[in-house]
Amino acid sequence: MIVWLNGELMDERAARIDPRDRGFLLGDALFETLLARNGNIAFLEEHLVRLWAGANILGIPLPVSTGHLAVACEMVLEANGLIDAPRVALRVTLTRGPGPRGLVPPENPAPTLLISAAESASPPASQSAIIATPRRNALSPTSRLKAAPYLDNLLAREEARARGADEALMLDTSGYVACASVANVFLWEGERLVTPAEECGILPGITRAAVLELAGRLGIDAAEEMIMPQRLPRADGVFLTNSLIGIVPLSRIETHEFEPHRMTARLKAAYELLLEADEDEEGRS
């Protein structure tokens, strides 16, 4: 694989990260995962703006412009022969770079910026989920950032795997539904769409925002609320969203099974049209 590291394309076997890098030692880092289809990177601007905003919050200087990053992403696709691939996962990782021992950041950070790419499988038709033991800390400012420390999410996903499920739904420390290990959560209550509020310590996902916007266009009543887990089995349908899977319904949470909700299919179709329209626009530019 060819990666882009600090401004240079190179074979991944030749890539070297400083052993003092705080991303490696402390998880002092941000990342973005993007979907590319046939060379078009979905919601590229939104992802890079979120990376830039998170870097500002953490005080990590972005060493290149977002425009330069966009070009670098395309360079990685081309260098790996993935321009025509139907589905590619791009990952942009930004760390604070090397620093002295301890927690105090260096006064003049030299950030590490890495872009990699790999072909991505088609999303599943549906998934099953459990309610996981690890909780989201809604009081932590990093809960709303695409930040590198992902151990709680990793433990939640491992718990799901051990219990024979695909995904893990995570509650916040107050007991409200927050998110899945790598996705946002939506519930159908009748034909009303509900998703956990940002106050529950969720990452405000790019696809989540697109779904809420699409719901408004389609005349669907949508709301962000504090959702207790007792509402989950009473829901008429549940689905997950993230940049790679798009919209995927849950067929089961714990032992409760869900029938497909007709409005999920309608939203999925609208989301697909949104991606195709973006691809057509890119093709004409």
Side-chain angles (χ1 to χ4, degrees), residues 64-165:
V64 299
S65 68
T66 55
H68 191 154
L69 260 183
V71 171
C73 287
E74 294 171 356
M75 290 169 63
V76 170
L77 289 175
E78 185 170 355
N80 285 284
L82 296 173
I83 284 290
D84 296 321
R87 295 181 61 85
V88 177
L90 278 164
R91 173 163 166 145
V92 180
T93 305
L94 171 70
T95 84
R96 200 180 301 270
R101 189 182 183 282
L103 297 183
V104 178
E107 289 188 10
N108 299 300
T112 299
L113 190 54
L114 173 69
I115 306 173
S116 60
E119 292 194 69
S120 180
S122 297
S126 64
Q127 290 185 312
S128 59
I130 62 159
I131 306 292
T133 304
R135 300 284 184 105
R136 296 280 293 184
N137 181 5
L139 299 179
S140 170
T142 62
S143 66
R144 295 168 179 79
L145 302 179
K146 191 80 169 175
Y150 245 52
L151 282 177
D152 286 341
N153 304 62
L154 184 153
L155 290 171
R157 178 60 76 85
E158 278 298 290
E159 183 180 349
R161 184 187 62 82
R163 293 173 55 189

Side-chain angles (χ1 to χ4, degrees), residues 32-54:
E32 290 290 329
T33 304
L34 306 88
L35 174 66
R37 305 197 318 177
N38 301 306
N40 182 70
I41 305 170
F43 302 110
L44 175 59
E45 181 179 355
E46 290 85 347
H47 280 284
L48 296 184
V49 165
R50 184 170 68 179
L51 179 70
W52 175 84

Side-chain angles (χ1 to χ4, degrees), residues 27 36 146 166 218 237:
K146 191 80 169 175
D166 304 305
L218 296 172

Side-chain angles (χ1 to χ4, degrees), residues 177-209:
V177 177
C179 57
S181 67
V182 292
N184 289 115
V185 184
F186 285 83
L187 282 66
W188 289 109
E189 295 181 331
E191 296 196 356
R192 182 172 180 267
L193 190 61
V194 186
T195 192
E198 292 187 25
E199 289 78 9
C200 298
I202 68 163
L203 174 73
I206 303 296
T207 306
R208 174 182 180 271

Side-chain angles (χ1 to χ4, degrees), residues 8-59:
E8 294 184 39
L9 288 171
M10 63 185 70
D11 190 286
E12 63 178 351
R13 292 167 293 187
R16 295 291 181 266
I17 304 294
D18 192 308
R20 301 169 300 146
D21 193 285
R22 289 170 60 91
F24 168 66
L25 296 175
L26 300 171
D28 189 0
L30 297 165
F31 71 100
E32 290 290 329
T33 304
L34 306 88
L35 174 66
R37 305 197 318 177
N38 301 306
N40 182 70
I41 305 170
F43 302 110
L44 175 59
E45 181 179 355
E46 290 85 347
H47 280 284
L48 296 184
V49 165
R50 184 170 68 179
L51 179 70
W52 175 84
N56 273 351
I57 290 170
L58 295 182

Side-chain angles (χ1 to χ4, degrees), residues 236-238 250-251 257-261:
D236 296 295
V238 183
L250 289 182
S251 59
E257 296 188 356
F258 294 91
E259 294 293 328
H261 194 286

